[in-house]
Amino acid sequence: MEKLMISGGRPLQGTVTISGAKNSAIALIPAAILAESEVILDNLPLLSDVAVYSEILEELGANVSWEGNQMRIDPTHIISLPMPNGPVKKLRASYYMMGAMLGRFKEAVIGLPGGCNFEPRPIDQHIKGFEALGATVTNEHGAIHLHAKELKGAKIYLDVVSVGATINIMLAATRAKGSTIIENAAKEPEIIDVATLLNSMGASIKGAGTETIRIEGKSELRGCRHSIIPDRIQAGTYMIAAAATRGNVLIDNVIPKHLEALTAKLIEMGVEIEELDESIRVIGKEKYESIDVKALVYPGFATDLQSPMTSLLTQADGVSVLSDFVYSNRFKHVPELARMGAKIRVEGRSAIIEGHPLNAAKVKATDLRAGAALVIAGLTVSEGITEVTGVEFIDRGYDHLVTNLRELGADVWRQND
Ligand code: EPZ
């Protein structure tokens, strides 16, 4: 296994170009099987989850070719195969195969998702939507079996604002007869990105990005070409790293609006931010104010940035409170940060963070965003070397991480553990 070695204390300087959004890509790839001809995806991130998804589609007979940041998916000869095991078990978001295969074949057998283990990740709202569309759904020996004589549009109210359920229901509903309304839908930009792809394929989806999405079912969809939106979570991670190392970094190829909540909190604590059309410059300062942060559904502060933000808040004067109202227990990075001298206590959904310098230690990533938090923490430590194991988690969400950080002046390298 590999580990990341970090000799910190160097301000990050220069420009980093953000790649396509992971949480879009792993929904857009399964969505492609709803088309009867080739779909081309540009600005694809080079991540292990993306590679797993191309493996899943090839298993079904799709012709997948991947060159640089472009993936071509020809689903013409794809067949319906049960997938109780195999690559579907390698990632959490394999659940999107349920909506895509239900839409295309009216049936699916998908092994229950794996992926990040920061807390149980239910899919009851996904299933509620599929049943509303006319599918029978059973859980047999750890695999979800879905079957529908036909899919009929329905009105679906989500009890919980869920990104995955919103996208999954949208996938199935595009091939249902009649119209579907999803109420209390999630509004994340990745949902708009998937709706944009589906509409380019000939679907009729209105309202993506609002709490009410209307979908007119179509009997057939065609291939198209689509460029994936930039990864706002990757961008936010580099913004936080720039602030934490008191650097001066231009984060390029971003949609600033997608990062409004983070930008506002960074400014509140004293970071200097310059917003341009498609990039954001972050200029760190010596002193930061402690602040309170609430991780909420979009457009609130992203839960995927709460662990990296925790590392930055250890650099602020005074006590900050960071609460996560999306996940109740996404604090596995806290004991690892404590090994680096951080003074943080967790109370319920909140982490109470007392500003305190960190020191080098051997720490372990338990999920991709916790891993990013540990890398950021290591970058702030000028004495000694921080070792981060669990790099495979980090590689699921951050392509070219070491290359990008080294180009920004960080002394970071991979080493066999
Ligand atoms: C997506 O996960 C992202 N993953 C997550 O990013 C992100 O943290 C999350 O949205 C919230 O923004 C992908 O897009 C692949 P949810 P998802 O359904 O769709 C509860 C990362 O780091 N819920 O919006 O699984 C759930 O327990 C990953 O890139 C139900 O109760 O999240 C949670 O408390 C981690 N029943 C809340 O809703 C359901 O059926 C939001 O979950 C579904 C969800």
Side-chain angles (χ1 to χ4, degrees), residues 290-331:
S290 56
I291 58 169
D292 292 348
V293 181
K294 290 181 177 59
L296 298 162
V297 294
Y298 193 86
F301 188 95
T303 171
D304 294 345
L305 290 173
Q306 66 98 327
S307 31
M309 191 67 174
T310 306
S311 296
L312 173 58
L313 291 172
T314 66
Q315 307 297 301
D317 297 336
V319 178
S320 300
V321 179
L322 188 152
S323 308
D324 194 328
F325 290 100
V326 177
Y327 294 109
S328 55
N329 176 23
R330 197 176 185 177
F331 295 112

Side-chain angles (χ1 to χ4, degrees), residues 22-23 92 95 123-125 162-164 304 326 330 369:
K22 164 182 90 81
N23 290 346
R92 154 124 186 110
Y95 51 49
I123 56 169
D124 57 298
Q125 298 299 305
S162 159
V163 173
D304 294 345
V326 177
R330 197 176 185 177
R369 309 304 175 187

Side-chain angles (χ1 to χ4, degrees), residues 274-292:
E274 283 168 31
E275 270 190 19
L276 308 161
D277 283 351
E278 296 182 341
S279 51
I280 294 179
R281 178 172 294 282
V282 175
I283 303 170
K285 299 293 175 198
E286 262 325 296
K287 289 182 71 57
Y288 293 132
E289 298 297 316
S290 56
I291 58 169
D292 292 348

Side-chain angles (χ1 to χ4, degrees), residues 136-159:
T136 52
V137 186
T138 53
N139 180 341
E140 295 168 34
H141 315 299
I144 301 289
H145 291 239
L146 306 101
H147 181 267
K149 274 199 280 306
E150 69 165 2
L151 290 177
K152 271 172 70 60
K155 191 168 184 179
I156 301 158
Y157 178 83
L158 291 180
D159 305 325

